[in-house]
Amino acid sequence: MCSSDLITAVTLRLAYLNWGFPYTFHIDEETIILFTQKIAATWKSQHQLINPSTSWGNLIFITLGVISKFLFFLKNAFDSEQLFLIFTGRMISASLSFLGLGVIYLLARRLYNQQVALLSLAFNAVLVVLIRAGHIYTLEVFLFILIGLTLLAGEKISRRGLNRDYFWTFFYLGLALSSKVTTALLMIPIVYAHYQVTKKQSNKFFNKQLFFAAVAITLYALLNPGILKNYLTGQVTGTTDILWVAKQMFGLVKPSWTLHFEGLPRFWYEITHNFWYGMGPFLEITMLAGVVFCLYRRKRSDIYLLLWLLPYFLLIGSWRSKYIRFIVPLVPYGLILGAAFWVEIFQKIKTSNWQRYAYLLVMGGGLLSTLLYAIAFTNVYAGPDSRIQAYQWAKTNIPAGATLLLERDESLRLPFNKQGVKVLWLDREILYYQLSGEEKIPYLAAMLKRADYIIVGEANKIRYLHTPQLNPIEYLYYTLLDSGELGFQKVKEYKVYPHLGPITINDERAEQSFHLFDHPRVEIYKREQRLNINSILFGELMKRFPTANL
């Protein structure tokens, strides 16, 4: 089973890493490339390591910069340095996503046994959220493997407590912190492991912990020397500020790109949406059953993993922001508990053949269904991309002399150029931040009056349709546009779903970022008649939201 799992895992992770090329569709990838180039330029000119962001540690930027130097011979195969760096980053993500399976296997074998390790490997080989993380160069795949390495080294502390065990545990913790500070929660299982070897020597409890914690702090400081300086000099502002990001997570600030999280249930949303789409039904049920089983059993190995899983879940579950990527550091290790649960069941099954056949039927069916889901999801990267299809239609069918209205939208990141076609931009930043109340109506009316065609992505539309009471005018705009009451009719719609041949999986209920960057919905509208947009919007506002606080 091990070799087939590894072949499946590497195939799913390496397939279609050039998705979207020659365009770039993921804003986080573009930001990482920009910061990597900024760090490299500053190092070359000043021999100084800077921190362009305090919400992201420097590890992800340094890794990309170093690896890209070794792969310089591939640079000429790409149209631009940006595409070369993005592909290099995705290769790093895919590699870490695959190598992390080895860490999962070793950790499960160390904590439990060979059977649990093999089953954990099989589960994670087809884990959709991990495969997705391997196709995008972002932080989460770094967190996945570094958390595993920290837990693996920390387990040795509980058994031996040698100095080298502490050193490597805090070394990996320092690297994890240099990716994201939420990994500080790893101190909880580390303290538990330390307690196992010092519980009979209470006077020595803090000795090694404090000494080797300096390893993590020193490594973090070496990789991120500019963070303290940035704060002291006031160079940290906006979305690069870790304090601002923390406020966003808890809902103390609510930027426009988080509107779709408004009103979502804390904790429950992860279970009903993020686990469901990120894992598939079988693996979610397996993980939750494993957590409940291990909470009941409470062996030392169970407690060790639960001391990472439960605090981290309580943290991300309490956040207003519910990005599906937040579960990547969680679910691979939860599946180890799920594997322990299934192995325990198998060991308790009597010699009755029908029980074993039923067990194998459930296990085989569950793994097969998850594999098919993983393949179906990977197929969204095979193309054709919905945005490219929409823009090709527009270039073919929009006549010269027409005016096209485009939105500034994370899901629409293509340049549109056709001779004779004028392009206008509907700017979300103006609507959300610069205009207030009824000022938005004449802005929208003026834009629509000039437009002959409109291309709408899903980012803004989903967010505003989710918050009618908070944003009634924007809600009305998208609602009336769809109904044809603004004088436009939808003439084309493009959407790619996870699919196996003719069979598609509708994932529109998933958290928006699950499909926003790699398979969003794109809609095209054509003017059919000229109407008084200003009057229509104002009338519908008074009719549907008479008490709206604008």
Side-chain angles (χ1 to χ4, degrees):
M1 181 173 68
C2 183
S3 59
S4 61
D5 290 337
L6 294 177
I7 293 172
T8 300
V10 74
T11 301
L12 291 171
R13 284 156 175 78
L14 292 179
Y16 314 119
L17 289 183
N18 62 339
W19 65 271
F21 283 11
Y23 306 104
T24 59
F25 291 126
H26 203 299
I27 191 170
D28 285 352
E29 285 186 323
E30 292 187 11
T31 302
I32 289 169
I33 300 306
L34 177 65
F35 286 171
T36 299
Q37 292 171 326
K38 186 175 182 179
I39 289 175
T42 306
W43 179 261
K44 184 177 180 180
S45 62
Q46 304 176 23
H47 297 290
Q48 180 181 358
L49 187 60
I50 62 168
N51 279 88
S53 168
T54 63
S55 59
W56 290 345
N58 268 352
L59 182 63
I60 190 171
F61 312 128
I62 295 172
T63 301
L64 178 59
V66 172
I67 297 297
S68 64
K69 294 298 182 184
F70 284 100
L71 298 179
F72 68 92
F73 55 90
L74 295 177
K75 196 170 183 178
N76 291 334
F78 297 89
D79 295 336
S80 66
E81 182 182 16
Q82 184 183 46
L83 291 178
F84 164 67
L85 290 173
I86 287 177
F87 186 80
T88 302
R90 291 177 184 175
M91 285 291 294
I92 295 170
S93 291
S95 300
L96 293 177
S97 177
F98 177 73
L99 293 173
L101 300 181
V103 177
I104 290 286
Y105 173 83
L106 292 173
L107 180 61
R109 191 177 70 175
R110 190 80 57 76
L111 292 174
Y112 297 100
N113 54 50
Q114 179 78 356
Q115 290 77 25
V116 174
L118 288 172
L119 200 52
S120 301
L121 175 62
F123 290 158
N124 280 280
V126 293
L127 180 59
V128 165
V129 74
L130 203 50
I131 295 167
R132 177 180 178 272
H135 282 78
I136 306 166
Y137 190 59
T138 55
L139 286 173
E140 277 61 40
V141 74
F142 279 78
L143 299 180
F144 159 60
I145 194 168
L146 290 172
I147 288 166
L149 289 170
T150 305
L151 291 172
L152 186 61
E155 186 277 335
K156 290 184 178 181
I157 292 177
S158 67
R159 289 189 294 110
R160 305 183 312 190
L162 300 179
N163 286 341
R164 64 174 178 266
D165 301 330
Y166 285 92
F167 174 83
W168 286 112
T169 299
F170 283 97
F171 177 82
Y172 293 130
L173 177 60
L175 291 178
L177 289 170
S178 295
S179 297
K180 206 167 189 178
V181 294
T182 51
T183 53
L185 290 174
L186 284 166
M187 279 301 300
I188 300 174
I190 292 173
V191 169
Y192 174 76
H194 177 64
Y195 171 74
Q196 298 304 311
V197 295
T198 60
K199 55 186 174 183
K200 295 181 181 180
Q201 306 171 16
S202 58
N203 62 317
K204 297 183 179 180
F205 182 79
F206 292 105
N207 294 356
K208 289 186 178 181
Q209 286 279 80
L210 293 175
F211 178 78
F212 284 100
V215 174
I217 296 170
T218 301
L219 184 58
Y220 179 80
L222 287 173
L223 292 174
N224 304 276
I227 285 185
L228 181 59
K229 178 184 176 183
N230 288 349
Y231 278 110
L232 292 176
T233 58
Q235 296 179 25
V236 179
T237 57
T239 58
T240 63
D241 180 8
I242 192 172
L243 299 178
W244 185 90
V245 172
K247 291 179 181 178
Q248 176 197 320
M249 293 299 105
F250 287 104
L252 299 178
V253 295
K254 298 178 180 181
S256 61
W257 60 85
T258 66
L259 286 174
H260 58 297
F261 297 130
E262 186 67 26
L264 297 183
R266 307 290 170 102
F267 305 104
W268 188 242
Y269 186 84
E270 279 75 15
I271 295 172
T272 58
H273 288 72
N274 288 350
F275 291 163
W276 184 265
Y277 289 100
M279 306 176 74
F282 174 72
L283 289 189
E284 179 183 3
I285 293 170
T286 289
M287 183 185 72
L288 295 178
V291 169
V292 172
F293 168 71
C294 291
L295 279 170
Y296 173 79
R297 186 175 64 172
R298 294 192 300 278
K299 290 174 60 175
R300 180 185 294 184
S301 54
D302 300 334
I303 295 172
Y304 182 66
L305 278 182
L306 287 168
L307 286 175
W308 161 248
L309 296 171
L310 295 182
Y312 184 76
F313 175 75
L314 290 174
L315 176 65
I316 65 170
S318 68
W319 288 345
R320 173 181 177 268
S321 295
K322 300 292 183 184
Y323 294 111
I324 197 169
R325 67 177 186 269
F326 293 159
I327 71 171
V328 173
L330 176 77
V331 295
Y333 302 99
L335 286 173
I336 296 178
L337 300 185
F341 166 73
W342 280 110
V343 169
E344 183 74 12
I345 289 178
F346 187 77
Q347 290 173 348
K348 290 184 178 298
I349 288 177
K350 306 301 180 183
T351 56
S352 172
N353 286 335
W354 76 266
Q355 290 178 324
R356 290 181 179 265
Y357 287 144
Y359 176 93
L360 293 174
L361 181 63
V362 173
M363 179 61 67
L367 278 174
L368 178 61
S369 66
T370 308
L371 171 62
L372 294 176
Y373 177 40
I375 295 172
F377 179 82
T378 306
N379 282 339
V380 304
Y381 297 116
D385 186 271
S386 56
R387 291 154 290 201
I388 296 176
Q389 292 182 79
Y391 276 49
Q392 287 174 342
W393 184 94
K395 287 186 176 182
T396 301
N397 293 278
I398 296 180
T403 299
L404 171 64
L405 179 62
L406 288 172
E407 294 188 351
R408 297 198 185 279
D409 180 317
E410 298 98 303
S411 65
L412 294 178
R413 301 181 61 80
L414 281 177
F416 184 88
N417 296 301
K418 180 179 178 180
Q419 188 172 5
V421 175
K422 184 177 181 180
V423 177
L424 300 176
W425 291 97
L426 183 64
D427 198 320
R428 179 186 67 195
E429 302 301 308
I430 293 177
L431 271 176
Y432 192 72
Y433 296 109
Q434 298 181 25
L435 301 178
S436 60
E438 296 177 10
E439 294 175 348
K440 298 176 181 180
I441 291 179
Y443 172 75
L444 287 169
M447 286 292 181
L448 294 181
K449 182 179 180 180
R450 299 166 64 188
D452 300 300
Y453 291 84
I454 307 173
I455 295 182
V456 175
E458 70 170 43
N460 298 335
K461 185 174 182 178
I462 287 178
R463 292 162 187 165
Y464 287 124
L465 289 180
H466 179 71
T467 53
Q469 295 300 325
L470 294 177
N471 302 281
I473 295 172
E474 294 89 335
Y475 170 83
L476 285 173
Y477 164 64
Y478 288 110
T479 301
L480 298 176
L481 184 64
D482 275 338
S483 66
E485 295 176 66
L486 296 181
F488 290 81
Q489 293 294 328
K490 186 189 297 184
V491 293
K492 210 68 180 174
E493 178 178 306
Y494 295 95
K495 169 67 179 172
V496 178
Y497 292 99
H499 60 279
L500 280 171
I503 302 173
T504 61
I505 300 173
N506 190 326
D507 61 354
E508 292 190 39
R509 289 185 66 251
E511 189 274 309
Q512 188 187 49
S513 67
F514 188 66
H515 43 75
L516 177 65
F517 299 110
D518 43 36
H519 57 291
R521 179 185 302 279
V522 183
E523 299 164 303
I524 304 175
Y525 299 83
K526 179 183 178 182
R527 178 186 296 282
E528 296 295 335
Q529 55 181 320
R530 292 196 172 273
L531 302 174
N532 188 333
I533 306 296
N534 195 81
S535 175
I536 293 171
L537 284 174
F538 188 79
E540 289 296 322
L541 178 66
M542 294 298 100
K543 177 181 175 182
R544 301 192 194 190
F545 301 96
T547 60
N549 183 13
L550 301 177

Coordinates of all heavy atoms in Angstrom, one line a residue, residues 370-413:
T370 N -12.6 9.3 -1.6 CA -11.7 10.4 -1.4 C -10.7 10.6 -2.5 O -10.4 11.7 -2.9 CB -11.0 10.3 0.0 OG1 -12.0 10.0 1.0 CG2 -10.3 11.5 0.3
L371 N -10.2 9.4 -3.0 CA -9.3 9.5 -4.1 C -10.0 10.1 -5.3 O -9.4 11.0 -6.0 CB -8.8 8.1 -4.5 CG -8.0 8.0 -5.8 CD1 -6.7 8.8 -5.7 CD2 -7.6 6.5 -6.0
L372 N -11.2 9.7 -5.6 CA -11.9 10.2 -6.8 C -12.2 11.7 -6.6 O -12.1 12.5 -7.5 CB -13.3 9.5 -7.0 CG -13.1 8.0 -7.4 CD1 -14.5 7.3 -7.4 CD2 -12.4 7.9 -8.7
Y373 N -12.5 12.1 -5.4 CA -12.7 13.6 -5.1 C -11.4 14.3 -5.3 O -11.4 15.4 -5.9 CB -13.2 13.7 -3.6 CG -13.4 15.2 -3.2 CD1 -13.9 16.1 -4.1 CD2 -13.0 15.6 -1.9 CE1 -14.1 17.4 -3.6 CE2 -13.2 16.9 -1.5 CZ -13.7 17.8 -2.4 OH -13.9 19.1 -2.0
A374 N -10.3 13.7 -4.9 CA -9.0 14.4 -5.1 C -8.7 14.6 -6.6 O -8.2 15.6 -7.0 CB -7.9 13.6 -4.4
I375 N -8.9 13.5 -7.3 CA -8.7 13.6 -8.8 C -9.6 14.6 -9.4 O -9.2 15.4 -10.3 CB -8.9 12.2 -9.4 CG1 -7.9 11.2 -8.9 CG2 -8.8 12.3 -11.0 CD1 -8.1 9.8 -9.4
A376 N -10.9 14.6 -9.0 CA -11.8 15.6 -9.5 C -11.4 17.0 -9.2 O -11.5 17.9 -10.1 CB -13.2 15.3 -8.9
F377 N -10.9 17.2 -8.0 CA -10.4 18.6 -7.7 C -9.2 19.0 -8.5 O -9.1 20.1 -9.0 CB -10.1 18.7 -6.2 CG -9.7 20.1 -5.8 CD1 -10.6 21.1 -5.6 CD2 -8.3 20.4 -5.7 CE1 -10.1 22.4 -5.3 CE2 -7.9 21.6 -5.4 CZ -8.8 22.7 -5.2
T378 N -8.3 18.0 -8.6 CA -7.1 18.3 -9.4 C -7.4 18.7 -10.8 O -6.7 19.5 -11.5 CB -6.1 17.1 -9.3 OG1 -5.9 16.8 -8.0 CG2 -4.8 17.5 -10.0
N379 N -8.5 18.2 -11.3 CA -8.9 18.5 -12.7 C -9.3 19.9 -13.0 O -9.3 20.4 -14.1 CB -10.1 17.6 -13.1 CG -9.6 16.1 -13.5 OD1 -8.4 15.9 -13.8 ND2 -10.5 15.2 -13.4
V380 N -9.5 20.7 -11.9 CA -9.8 22.1 -12.1 C -8.6 22.8 -12.6 O -8.7 23.9 -13.3 CB -10.4 22.8 -10.8 CG1 -11.6 22.1 -10.3 CG2 -9.3 22.9 -9.8
Y381 N -7.4 22.3 -12.3 CA -6.2 22.9 -12.8 C -5.9 22.5 -14.3 O -5.0 23.1 -14.9 CB -5.0 22.5 -11.9 CG -5.2 23.0 -10.5 CD1 -5.3 22.1 -9.5 CD2 -5.2 24.3 -10.2 CE1 -5.4 22.5 -8.1 CE2 -5.3 24.8 -8.9 CZ -5.4 23.8 -7.9 OH -5.6 24.2 -6.6
A382 N -6.6 21.5 -14.8 CA -6.3 21.1 -16.2 C -6.8 22.1 -17.2 O -6.3 22.0 -18.4 CB -6.9 19.7 -16.4
G383 N -7.7 22.9 -16.8 CA -8.2 23.9 -17.8 C -9.3 23.4 -18.6 O -9.7 22.2 -18.5
P384 N -10.0 24.2 -19.4 CA -9.6 25.6 -19.6 C -10.1 26.5 -18.5 O -11.2 26.2 -17.9 CB -10.3 26.0 -20.9 CG -11.5 25.1 -21.0 CD -11.0 23.8 -20.3
D385 N -9.4 27.5 -18.1 CA -9.7 28.4 -17.0 C -11.0 29.3 -17.4 O -11.1 29.7 -18.5 CB -8.6 29.3 -16.7 CG -8.8 30.2 -15.5 OD1 -9.4 31.3 -15.6 OD2 -8.5 29.7 -14.4
S386 N -11.9 29.4 -16.4 CA -13.1 30.2 -16.7 C -12.8 31.6 -17.1 O -13.6 32.2 -17.9 CB -14.0 30.1 -15.4 OG -13.3 30.6 -14.3
R387 N -11.8 32.2 -16.5 CA -11.5 33.6 -16.8 C -11.0 33.8 -18.2 O -11.3 34.7 -19.0 CB -10.5 34.2 -15.8 CG -11.1 34.4 -14.4 CD -10.1 34.3 -13.4 NE -9.5 33.0 -13.2 CZ -8.9 32.5 -12.1 NH1 -8.8 33.3 -11.1 NH2 -8.4 31.3 -12.1
I388 N -10.1 32.9 -18.6 CA -9.6 32.9 -20.0 C -10.7 32.7 -21.0 O -10.7 33.3 -22.0 CB -8.4 31.9 -20.1 CG1 -7.3 32.2 -19.2 CG2 -7.9 31.8 -21.5 CD1 -6.1 31.2 -19.2
Q389 N -11.6 31.7 -20.7 CA -12.7 31.5 -21.6 C -13.6 32.7 -21.7 O -14.0 33.1 -22.9 CB -13.6 30.3 -21.1 CG -12.9 29.0 -21.1 CD -13.9 27.9 -20.6 OE1 -14.8 27.5 -21.3 NE2 -13.7 27.6 -19.3
A390 N -13.8 33.4 -20.6 CA -14.7 34.6 -20.7 C -14.0 35.7 -21.5 O -14.7 36.4 -22.3 CB -15.0 35.1 -19.2
Y391 N -12.7 35.9 -21.3 CA -12.1 37.0 -22.0 C -11.9 36.7 -23.5 O -12.0 37.6 -24.3 CB -10.7 37.2 -21.3 CG -10.8 38.2 -20.1 CD1 -11.7 37.9 -19.1 CD2 -9.9 39.3 -20.0 CE1 -11.8 38.8 -18.0 CE2 -10.0 40.1 -18.9 CZ -10.9 39.9 -17.9 OH -11.0 40.7 -16.8
Q392 N -11.8 35.4 -23.8 CA -11.7 35.0 -25.2 C -13.1 35.3 -25.9 O -13.1 35.8 -27.0 CB -11.3 33.6 -25.3 CG -9.9 33.3 -25.0 CD -9.5 31.8 -25.0 OE1 -10.4 30.9 -24.9 NE2 -8.2 31.5 -25.1
W393 N -14.1 35.0 -25.2 CA -15.5 35.3 -25.7 C -15.6 36.8 -25.9 O -16.2 37.2 -26.9 CB -16.6 34.7 -24.8 CG -18.0 34.9 -25.3 CD1 -18.7 34.0 -26.0 CD2 -18.8 36.1 -25.2 NE1 -19.9 34.5 -26.4 CE2 -20.0 35.8 -25.9 CE3 -18.6 37.3 -24.6 CZ2 -21.0 36.7 -26.0 CZ3 -19.6 38.3 -24.8 CH2 -20.8 38.0 -25.4
A394 N -15.2 37.5 -24.9 CA -15.4 39.0 -25.0 C -14.6 39.6 -26.2 O -15.1 40.5 -26.9 CB -14.9 39.6 -23.7
K395 N -13.4 39.1 -26.4 CA -12.6 39.6 -27.5 C -13.2 39.3 -28.8 O -13.0 40.0 -29.8 CB -11.1 39.1 -27.4 CG -10.3 39.7 -26.2 CD -8.9 39.3 -26.2 CE -8.1 40.0 -25.2 NZ -6.7 39.7 -25.2
T396 N -13.8 38.1 -28.9 CA -14.4 37.7 -30.1 C -15.8 38.4 -30.4 O -16.1 38.7 -31.6 CB -14.7 36.2 -30.1 OG1 -13.4 35.5 -29.9 CG2 -15.3 35.7 -31.4
N397 N -16.6 38.6 -29.4 CA -18.0 39.0 -29.5 C -18.3 40.5 -29.2 O -19.3 41.0 -29.7 CB -18.9 38.1 -28.7 CG -18.9 36.7 -29.2 OD1 -19.6 36.4 -30.1 ND2 -18.1 35.9 -28.6
I398 N -17.4 41.2 -28.4 CA -17.7 42.6 -28.1 C -17.2 43.4 -29.3 O -16.0 43.4 -29.7 CB -17.0 43.0 -26.8 CG1 -17.6 42.2 -25.7 CG2 -17.2 44.5 -26.6 CD1 -17.0 42.6 -24.3
P399 N -18.1 44.2 -30.0 CA -17.7 44.9 -31.2 C -16.8 46.1 -30.9 O -16.9 46.7 -29.8 CB -19.0 45.3 -31.8 CG -19.9 45.4 -30.6 CD -19.5 44.3 -29.7
A400 N -16.1 46.6 -31.8 CA -15.3 47.8 -31.7 C -16.3 49.0 -31.5 O -17.4 49.0 -32.1 CB -14.5 48.1 -33.0
G401 N -16.0 49.9 -30.7 CA -16.8 51.0 -30.4 C -17.6 50.8 -29.1 O -18.2 51.8 -28.6
A402 N -17.7 49.6 -28.6 CA -18.4 49.3 -27.4 C -17.6 49.6 -26.1 O -16.4 49.8 -26.2 CB -18.8 47.8 -27.3
T403 N -18.3 49.8 -25.0 CA -17.6 50.0 -23.7 C -17.8 48.8 -22.8 O -18.9 48.4 -22.6 CB -18.1 51.3 -23.1 OG1 -17.8 52.4 -23.9 CG2 -17.4 51.5 -21.7
L404 N -16.7 48.3 -22.2 CA -16.8 47.2 -21.3 C -16.5 47.6 -19.9 O -15.5 48.3 -19.6 CB -15.7 46.1 -21.7 CG -15.5 45.0 -20.8 CD1 -16.8 44.1 -20.7 CD2 -14.3 44.1 -21.2
L405 N -17.4 47.3 -19.0 CA -17.2 47.6 -17.6 C -16.6 46.3 -16.8 O -17.3 45.3 -16.9 CB -18.5 48.0 -16.9 CG -18.5 48.3 -15.4 CD1 -17.6 49.5 -15.2 CD2 -19.9 48.6 -14.9
L406 N -15.5 46.5 -16.2 CA -14.8 45.4 -15.5 C -14.8 45.8 -14.0 O -14.7 47.0 -13.7 CB -13.4 45.2 -16.0 CG -13.2 44.5 -17.4 CD1 -11.8 44.5 -17.8 CD2 -13.7 43.1 -17.3
E407 N -14.8 44.8 -13.1 CA -14.6 45.0 -11.7 C -13.2 44.8 -11.3 O -12.5 43.9 -11.8 CB -15.5 44.1 -10.9 CG -17.0 44.3 -11.2 CD -17.8 43.5 -10.2 OE1 -17.3 42.6 -9.5 OE2 -19.1 43.7 -10.1
R408 N -12.8 45.6 -10.3 CA -11.5 45.3 -9.6 C -11.8 44.2 -8.6 O -12.4 44.5 -7.5 CB -10.9 46.5 -9.0 CG -10.6 47.6 -10.0 CD -9.6 48.6 -9.4 NE -9.4 49.7 -10.4 CZ -8.5 49.7 -11.4 NH1 -7.8 48.6 -11.6 NH2 -8.4 50.7 -12.2
D409 N -11.4 43.0 -8.9 CA -11.9 41.8 -8.3 C -10.8 40.8 -8.2 O -10.1 40.6 -9.2 CB -13.1 41.3 -9.0 CG -13.8 40.0 -8.5 OD1 -13.0 39.1 -8.1 OD2 -15.0 40.0 -8.5
E410 N -10.5 40.1 -7.1 CA -9.4 39.2 -7.0 C -9.6 38.0 -8.0 O -8.6 37.4 -8.3 CB -9.3 38.6 -5.6 CG -9.0 39.6 -4.5 CD -10.3 40.0 -3.8 OE1 -11.2 40.5 -4.4 OE2 -10.3 39.9 -2.5
S411 N -10.8 37.7 -8.4 CA -11.0 36.6 -9.3 C -10.8 37.0 -10.7 O -10.7 36.1 -11.6 CB -12.4 36.0 -9.1 OG -13.4 36.9 -9.4
L412 N -10.8 38.3 -11.0 CA -10.6 38.8 -12.4 C -9.2 39.5 -12.4 O -9.1 40.7 -12.1 CB -11.7 39.8 -12.8 CG -13.1 39.2 -12.9 CD1 -14.1 40.3 -13.3 CD2 -13.1 38.1 -14.0
R413 N -8.2 38.8 -12.8 CA -6.8 39.4 -12.8 C -6.2 39.2 -14.2 O -5.1 38.8 -14.3 CB -6.0 38.7 -11.7 CG -6.6 38.8 -10.3 CD -5.8 38.2 -9.3 NE -4.5 38.8 -9.2 CZ -4.2 39.9 -8.6 NH1 -5.1 40.6 -8.0 NH2 -2.9 40.4 -8.5

